Amino acid sequence: MTTPILKVTGLTMDFGGIRALDSVDLDVRQGEIAALIGPNGAGKTTFFNCVTGIYIPTAGEVMLTPAGSNKSKNLKGLKPNQVTQRGLARTFQNIRLFSRMTVLENVMIGRHCRTKAFILGAILRNRATRREERKILEYSYALLEKVGLANQADEFAENLSYGAQRRLEIARALATEPLLLLLDEPAAGMNPQETKELDELIKKISREGQAILLIEHDMKLVMSLSDRIFVMDYGKMIAKGNPAEIRTNPDVIKAYLGE
Ligand code: ATP
């Protein structure tokens, strides 16, 4: 069995007297879509924040391993930009775009950790001449095509529809060439048509080999997308399994519906 891309063990996070994460284990395998679900306040976003360097966990290990490699990188204690550099990218529950920059520029910003700063600066000031610079533009356009936004490349991000802004966030995260993509409630606030397009987009990205871990409340979407589902409640991991197993798990039913 190959080493998982992400292996989290014993992750614990205390906020004063509140234990938001209690010795949580989770792993994501190469090429899979995994989901982290649970009722409100279960600790899902805290988990993402600990894994991506926004919080320093009280205890536990976060290991990232490139596919086919046995050289794991320990992410614990790293800053968010260092975590991105090592191959973990994320989107946020509340959209965080550069609203007065163009759609294309937002994706190019995502290239920061794979690009020399002066090159990116030259492009953003419209002084792109070199071959290397053109490569970044082409790469960014290709990502916009992938998420269906190429024909809006020159719009300000703030002028996009809600669903399109969410897809732009995904493109920006992909621009960092992540080993693993974390999506925090990507369907939140979307209408049914936007959710359907998101479902198709995530499946397409996954087919191209991208490993994905998502937090999501839309159960229909979770069941449609996920190879494996992890369920948290009150800071603890209470179940894991494939969609059929999770649907019928008594602990999961109890966590969502009560006794
Ligand atoms: P939701 O589905 O509503 O987004 P969640 O599963 O993502 O919920 P978290 O936001 O991770 O849950 O919250 C888990 C617990 O940790 C909650 O009790 C929350 O109040 C607490 N918590 C989260 N962040 C902090 C913080 N910065 N300071 C103190 N308590 C926090």
Side-chain angles (χ1 to χ4, degrees):
M1 179 122 169
T2 53
T3 313
I5 285 210
L6 178 72
K7 188 167 173 60
V8 176
T9 44
L11 200 66
T12 299
M13 182 75 211
D14 292 335
F15 295 112
I18 297 173
R19 177 149 287 190
L21 294 178
D22 191 354
S23 202
V24 170
D25 296 342
L26 181 151
D27 64 285
V28 182
R29 299 169 188 155
Q30 171 64 26
E32 87 171 334
I33 302 179
L36 177 58
I37 66 169
N40 291 116
K44 305 178 297 294
T45 296
T46 302
F47 177 89
F48 269 23
N49 287 340
C50 285
V51 167
T52 56
I54 291 175
Y55 297 147
I56 298 172
T58 309
E61 296 299 329
V62 181
M63 304 300 288
L64 194 68
T65 311
S69 159
N70 53 10
K71 289 208 179 97
S72 299
K73 308 168 191 187
N74 190 344
L75 302 186
K76 193 178 160 192
L78 298 183
K79 298 196 173 78
N81 62 316
Q82 296 170 316
V83 170
T84 312
Q85 183 76 40
R86 282 168 183 66
L88 202 63
R90 74 175 287 185
T91 65
F92 291 87
Q93 205 168 340
N94 304 310
I95 295 174
R96 296 189 191 182
L97 290 168
F98 299 101
S99 55
R100 296 290 286 171
M101 292 178 92
T102 69
V103 167
L104 180 65
E105 285 166 348
N106 268 275
V107 177
M108 284 164 51
I109 292 285
R111 292 299 290 161
H112 73 280
C113 68
R114 305 284 169 236
T115 311
K116 294 188 187 97
F118 75 90
I119 297 175
L120 204 54
I123 297 171
L124 292 173
R125 288 195 303 276
N126 271 333
R127 295 202 188 128
T129 50
R130 296 165 44 167
R131 201 162 60 88
E132 208 171 357
E133 296 166 357
R134 194 166 320 119
K135 252 172 45 190
I136 295 169
L137 280 173
E138 282 170 6
Y139 189 96
S140 302
Y141 264 115
L143 279 175
L144 287 180
E145 260 162 27
K146 187 177 292 186
V147 303
L149 293 175
N151 58 3
Q152 288 162 289
D154 298 327
E155 300 253 2
F156 280 138
E158 66 183 9
N159 292 336
L160 294 185
S161 70
Y162 185 81
Q165 289 193 16
R166 285 234 172 251
R167 279 185 281 130
L168 178 54
E169 272 212 311
I170 293 175
R172 187 178 58 185
L174 287 174
T176 68
E177 292 181 67
L179 299 173
L180 175 65
L181 175 64
L182 305 182
L183 303 174
D184 193 349
E185 294 196 37
M190 283 190 171
N191 64 38
Q193 177 59 29
E194 288 170 336
T195 305
K196 186 167 164 282
E197 286 166 12
L198 177 74
D199 180 275
E200 285 160 10
L201 174 62
I202 293 175
K203 282 177 180 152
K204 179 165 82 172
I205 296 168
S206 168
R207 276 197 301 274
E208 291 170 4
Q210 179 67 60
I212 297 168
L213 172 64
L214 73 149
I215 294 174
E216 188 49 62
H217 280 292
D218 182 330
M219 280 310 130
K220 194 164 156 239
L221 185 65
V222 167
M223 295 296 166
S224 153
L225 286 175
S226 309
D227 297 301
R228 283 190 306 150
I229 301 171
F230 293 82
V231 190
M232 288 183 66
D233 194 20
Y234 292 111
K236 287 185 169 32
M237 195 63 81
I238 60 163
K240 69 173 180 179
N242 65 36
E245 288 163 344
I246 292 303
R247 224 184 253 119
T248 52
N249 182 306
D251 292 335
V252 177
I253 295 167
K254 194 167 112 189
Y256 275 95
L257 301 178
E259 294 287 353

